[in-house]
Amino acid sequence: TESKMAKKKKGGKGKRTKKGKDKEFDATKKVFDAKDDYEEVEKTPLYLVEDLASKNRDVVVDNLDMVEPGKGKLLLSKTRLKLSRGRRYGLCGKNGIGKTTLLALIASGKLKEFPSHLKVLHVRQEVPCDGRKVIQFVAECDEEFKFLEEEENRMYDLLEDEDAELDFDPQERLERIEERRRDIGVDTAVARATHIVMGLGFTKEMREKKTEDLSGGWRCRVALACALFVAPDLLLLDEPTNHLDFPGVTWLENYLKNYEKTCIVVSHDKTFLNNVSSDIIHIENQKLNYYKGNYKTFEKVRAEHRRAQEKEFEAQRLKVEQMKAFIERYRKDENRASLVQSRVKELEKMEREGFVEEVKEEKKLSFRFPEPTKLDHDIVRIIDMDFGYTPDKIIL
């Protein structure tokens, strides 16, 4: 059997056969069932994309419609999705308005105008685990690693096959594969995985555990670690702090603030959003509304916009009432016919252009805890109790 170095000396160009047909690597995680609403977008393997490093990483998708999966309810209508490389977006809006659905749609790879060369990853709350230890699991989580290895083996097989007719040079493909492996840090995988899982609070003992033996909360941390390890062009995080303690949240904040690529975060933790976000995307009235600055700035600017809109709405309402009253009063007055007609035309123009919408009062939830009465007996009493996670590790 020839060595790989010997195989590299062979090459060939010609007509592609079935054996030489390119496999497709999907750089996104398919977590959204788009059914017939969105078409599959054909993807070129990233290592074959010309000048990948210099390609634009911004995203602009116009006239975006989005429906709630399985229900058909319209969540977004004729809106624009616009993301700039290097920005960290906090995605906000009322519960059920479509935040998680939007992340899933972006990750699905089914938006026609979405750049196909971008690597996208949507973090699920928990990942399917197996018998691998935490470090190994994270270090091997990038699907592109395996894809490149399969492509490398396929190229070597083609170099060996003297009868293969190809319209590409396997040797040139091997060089591209090696370059891509360097770009995504295959050789530093273990070191990077270790740094991330330590930052997320995995002790030395926990790092030695099999992922299938971890609790649900720690599996969620594994999912987050995998996402940070892959470091995609667009990182989509849905409630990433749910299973983190305070040191873990602080570490994640610092990690994301130094993330050089693009990130969208959904979180009910306002402090986390405030510390991490460089921009806010607010979903309201089936539109994506963009605000520069962190969450605190967003709240201030939005409140100012709402006050200005209220004043504009009230001024417009009074103006419309006055014009309608004038028209009704002087409708049959020939001396004021031109004035009446001008007001009729102005009203028609306002209707065509659309009236200022009334600012609806947002629902506020208020509750209180009643003062408890003092109990005159114990609710629960346990005597002579031992507590621990394992028989050899008793805590109490």
Side-chain angles (χ1 to χ4, degrees):
T1 303
E2 292 179 292
S3 67
K4 287 187 176 182
M5 291 300 296
K7 292 175 186 177
K8 287 185 178 182
K9 294 179 181 179
K10 297 183 180 180
K13 294 184 180 181
K15 188 176 180 181
R16 179 182 301 173
T17 64
K18 184 177 181 181
K19 186 175 182 180
K21 184 179 180 181
D22 284 337
K23 294 168 66 178
E24 179 182 300
F25 168 68
D26 188 349
T28 65
K29 292 281 188 183
K30 295 299 179 68
V31 294
F32 181 77
D33 182 11
K35 296 184 180 180
D36 295 326
D37 297 325
Y38 306 94
E39 295 180 6
E40 194 73 45
V41 178
E42 185 177 348
K43 291 182 178 295
T44 300
L46 295 180
Y47 82 91
L48 293 178
V49 176
E50 296 291 341
D51 301 318
L52 178 62
S54 61
K55 279 191 172 294
N56 191 354
R57 258 60 176 184
D58 295 344
V59 174
V60 178
V61 178
D62 288 315
N63 297 315
L64 173 62
D65 293 332
M66 184 179 76
V67 297
E68 187 174 2
K71 297 183 180 180
K73 177 184 175 183
L74 189 63
L75 299 175
L76 293 177
S77 175
K78 306 300 179 186
T79 192
R80 166 179 270 205
L81 173 65
K82 184 177 181 181
L83 306 172
S84 299
R85 175 178 169 80
R87 308 299 291 180
R88 302 179 303 278
Y89 296 90
L91 181 59
C92 306
K94 296 185 296 183
N95 287 339
I97 206 163
K99 300 185 293 295
T100 296
T101 303
L102 178 59
L103 295 189
L105 175 58
I106 293 172
S108 71
K110 296 179 184 291
L111 291 175
K112 285 186 177 180
E113 296 179 46
F114 196 92
S116 61
H117 61 275
L118 293 187
K119 196 169 183 177
V120 183
L121 199 150
H122 180 198
V123 182
R124 306 176 188 183
Q125 288 295 310
E126 188 176 325
V127 292
C129 294
D130 52 34
R132 288 175 291 174
K133 294 181 181 180
V134 173
I135 297 295
Q136 181 186 2
F137 188 94
V138 175
E140 295 176 354
C141 70
D142 194 335
E143 294 181 358
E144 192 176 0
F145 285 14
K146 184 178 180 181
F147 175 79
L148 290 174
E149 184 178 0
E150 291 173 350
E151 281 290 273
E152 183 181 48
N153 292 333
R154 188 168 71 94
M155 292 304 118
Y156 284 133
D157 289 342
L158 291 172
L159 285 172
E160 271 194 334
D161 188 352
E162 296 180 355
D163 297 327
E165 295 182 351
L166 309 169
D167 64 356
F168 60 84
D169 182 0
Q171 179 61 50
E172 191 261 341
R173 291 280 179 97
L174 284 169
E175 293 171 1
R176 283 174 172 256
I177 289 170
E178 186 59 33
E179 181 181 359
R180 180 61 183 167
R181 285 165 62 95
R182 288 195 299 270
D183 290 343
I184 61 177
V186 173
D187 294 337
T188 61
V190 174
R192 289 188 293 116
T194 303
H195 170 72
I196 291 169
V197 299
M198 288 177 64
L200 292 176
F202 285 85
T203 63
K204 183 178 180 180
E205 181 182 357
M206 295 193 70
R207 297 197 296 271
E208 291 299 315
K209 283 189 174 184
K210 296 178 181 179
T211 53
E212 63 187 4
D213 294 334
L214 297 173
S215 66
W218 285 99
R219 289 188 183 190
C220 290
R221 293 198 192 199
V222 171
L224 179 57
C226 288
L228 300 181
F229 173 83
V230 173
D233 296 303
L234 178 55
L235 175 61
L236 310 175
L237 300 176
D238 195 348
E239 300 292 351
T241 64
N242 271 2
H243 299 279
L244 297 181
D245 54 13
F246 182 75
V249 171
T250 302
W251 182 89
L252 181 59
E253 286 179 359
N254 292 328
Y255 189 96
L256 292 178
K257 282 191 283 189
N258 293 297
Y259 196 66
E260 296 179 352
K261 301 175 183 179
T262 311
C263 178
I264 303 179
V265 180
V266 173
S267 177
H268 284 87
D269 186 340
K270 292 184 179 181
T271 301
F272 180 77
L273 279 182
N274 197 53
N275 292 337
V276 167
S277 303
S278 62
D279 302 77
I280 295 294
I281 303 175
H282 184 240
I283 304 179
E284 189 175 36
N285 299 325
Q286 299 180 342
K287 301 294 181 185
L288 298 176
N289 305 290
Y290 297 85
Y291 297 82
K292 290 287 186 183
N294 60 17
Y295 191 82
K296 187 175 181 180
T297 302
F298 153 72
E299 288 187 309
K300 180 181 178 181
V301 172
R302 182 167 178 261
E304 292 172 352
H305 286 178
R306 286 173 64 84
R307 285 194 293 270
Q309 186 177 338
E310 285 175 347
K311 291 180 180 179
E312 189 177 359
F313 172 80
E314 186 61 24
Q316 185 183 73
R317 185 185 65 79
L318 291 173
K319 183 177 181 180
V320 169
E321 287 181 356
Q322 291 170 357
M323 286 194 295
K324 287 183 176 180
F326 185 92
I327 293 170
E328 187 63 28
R329 182 176 180 181
Y330 298 109
R331 183 184 299 276
K332 297 180 181 179
D333 189 334
E334 294 182 1
N335 295 327
R336 289 185 169 86
S338 60
L339 296 175
V340 170
Q341 191 60 32
S342 68
R343 282 164 174 75
V344 170
K345 289 182 178 180
E346 187 173 357
L347 273 175
E348 291 174 347
K349 181 181 178 182
M350 291 173 69
E351 289 178 359
R352 286 196 305 270
E353 295 178 350
F355 292 109
V356 177
E357 291 187 8
E358 182 178 7
V359 177
K360 297 179 181 179
E361 186 176 352
E362 295 183 317
K363 294 181 180 179
K364 294 182 179 180
L365 178 65
S366 60
F367 58 90
R368 66 182 183 85
F369 294 102
E371 288 293 329
T373 57
K374 188 175 181 179
L375 297 175
D376 57 2
H377 58 85
D378 295 332
I379 298 176
V380 176
R381 178 180 292 179
I382 301 176
I383 300 173
D384 196 23
M385 179 191 78
D386 292 336
F387 172 78
Y389 290 105
T390 59
D392 59 341
K393 189 177 180 181
I394 301 300
I395 296 175
L396 296 174

